[in-house]
Amino acid sequence: STGVNTAVTTYHHNMKSEFQEVEILDTVAFGKCLILDGKMQSAAADEFVYHESLVHTAMLSHPNPKNVFIGGGGEGATLREILRHKTVEKCTMVDIDGQAVDYCKEHLKSHHDGAFDDPRTELVIDDAKGWLERYDGPKFDVMVMDLADPVDDGPCYLLYTVKFYEFCKTRLADDGILITQSGPAGLFSADQVFSAIACTLQKAFSSVQMAVSHVPSFGDVYGFGLAANSALPDLSGKIDALIAERISDPSKLRYFDEETYLHMTHLPKYLRTMIANEKRLITEETPLFIN
């Protein structure tokens, strides 16, 4: 994420893990924030916008998600949102950076809200790609790729490729759904990776729906790519009833509802045109990186 400038009031932590520089600090505008390699990843004031968008769009598109996978998800907020769903029996979160996860557990308690202690949670410190390749357990109903943006020499850029998405299909149940954060999707930023991720998902999956939400602390609109082998359901007019039925405490949702879902999934014309005209496929040989 690009982030915006804001005054800092307190530095809680600044360390270099094996994989990235990790900072946790308090800001005037956005409260407590997680910064990775100098880029805003999650801010207390508006993280719910990003995490509710990422999670509930996918979870409510599945009829009965019981077994869920998270790729990345360091601070635990994606896990928190998944565990709001009463159908969930197990959620496996695989993040490569155990040091970053530990610091988030300690310093970002409002982000994870105790989700790491939920008996349905299995936390694995490993490379998500390698772990999935070795995994031979039950297939996943929903896979949520809560990854850092693809940057050169970063840990995540190979998790945005045709090869990886096609491999994910082998770990999804027949009616399984994958969602990935898809980078900035603003008028001047969507051509970095958002439209190419859409094109890449369309190459790997038979059904793809792109969505966007404005995340103020990221300083931009951000994208999400929903994908499945079978037709994605039309949830128009059904979201609020699904939330009431399936979320343990609907009042906890601060962003996602019927109107928000419709806004997220009805893209402006410039984005629809950009996706329709996009020819770039992200491959291991031709990766794309955020500027």
Side-chain angles (χ1 to χ4, degrees):
S1 56
T2 54
V4 295
N5 292 324
T6 179
V8 175
T9 59
T10 307
Y11 279 96
H12 288 280
H13 208 87
N14 185 342
M15 56 83 68
K16 178 80 173 177
S17 77
E18 181 182 352
F19 300 99
Q20 55 202 340
E21 183 178 356
V22 182
E23 296 173 276
I24 296 174
L25 47 87
D26 268 324
T27 65
V28 172
F30 300 113
K32 194 173 285 188
C33 300
L34 172 65
I35 314 292
L36 299 180
D37 287 334
K39 294 185 177 182
M40 178 77 76
Q41 295 297 311
S42 191
D46 65 0
E47 58 82 10
F48 67 93
V49 174
Y50 169 87
H51 291 107
E52 290 184 25
S53 298
L54 178 69
V55 169
H56 303 305
T57 308
M59 293 292 285
L60 295 178
S61 294
H62 192 282
N64 189 28
K66 295 180 179 180
N67 188 27
V68 182
F69 171 87
I70 303 171
E75 75 274 40
T78 293
L79 179 64
R80 176 198 73 210
E81 293 301 320
I82 287 170
L83 295 176
R84 296 195 195 284
H85 288 257
K86 293 182 283 188
T87 59
V88 173
E89 297 175 357
K90 182 177 182 181
C91 184
T92 304
M93 172 180 154
V94 183
D95 193 293
I96 198 170
D97 196 335
Q99 290 173 287
V101 171
D102 284 343
Y103 288 122
C104 290
K105 283 184 181 180
E106 180 179 355
H107 294 290
L108 294 177
K109 290 181 170 63
S110 65
H111 283 57
H112 61 77
D113 195 26
F116 290 110
D117 299 321
D118 191 293
R120 296 171 291 171
T121 296
E122 179 180 354
L123 174 62
V124 180
I125 303 303
D126 202 344
D127 167 55
K129 182 172 177 286
W131 185 88
L132 282 169
E133 288 168 352
R134 297 188 301 272
Y135 177 74
D136 62 357
K139 293 191 174 185
F140 295 105
D141 300 312
V142 176
M143 297 178 70
V144 180
M145 307 309 296
D146 181 18
L147 308 169
D149 290 327
V151 294
D152 198 4
D153 295 328
C156 295
Y157 73 92
L158 291 177
L159 279 65
Y160 292 91
T161 64
V162 174
K163 183 177 180 180
F164 179 70
Y165 292 144
E166 289 181 339
F167 172 74
C168 284
K169 291 195 297 187
T170 70
R171 296 296 183 260
L172 280 170
D174 290 343
D175 60 352
I177 290 172
L178 177 142
I179 193 165
T180 181
Q181 85 88 3
S182 302
L187 178 60
F188 303 112
S189 59
D191 61 345
Q192 291 185 46
V193 295
F194 173 78
S195 56
I197 290 172
C199 186
T200 303
L201 286 169
Q202 289 166 352
K203 176 71 172 176
F205 290 91
S206 61
S207 185
V208 174
Q209 169 71 65
M210 302 305 289
V212 296
S213 287
H214 180 248
V215 185
S217 62
F218 289 178
D220 209 343
V221 175
Y222 249 65
F224 308 91
L226 189 69
N229 280 328
S230 53
L232 289 166
D234 179 6
L235 297 181
S236 301
K238 302 174 184 176
I239 290 289
D240 288 342
L242 285 169
I243 288 172
E245 175 189 349
R246 289 165 50 172
I247 301 291
S248 55
D249 184 357
S251 68
K252 294 284 190 179
L253 299 191
R254 299 168 60 192
Y255 181 72
F256 194 85
D257 66 359
E258 174 73 28
E259 288 193 40
T260 300
Y261 169 80
L262 292 175
H263 175 72
M264 287 176 58
T265 54
H266 286 71
L267 303 183
K269 185 177 181 180
Y270 68 84
L271 282 183
R272 301 197 309 271
T273 301
M274 195 177 296
I275 291 168
N277 293 336
E278 182 62 73
K279 305 299 183 199
R280 294 172 298 171
L281 291 175
I282 304 173
T283 69
E284 292 187 353
E285 296 74 29
T286 57
L288 280 183
F289 304 114
I290 291 285
N291 296 340

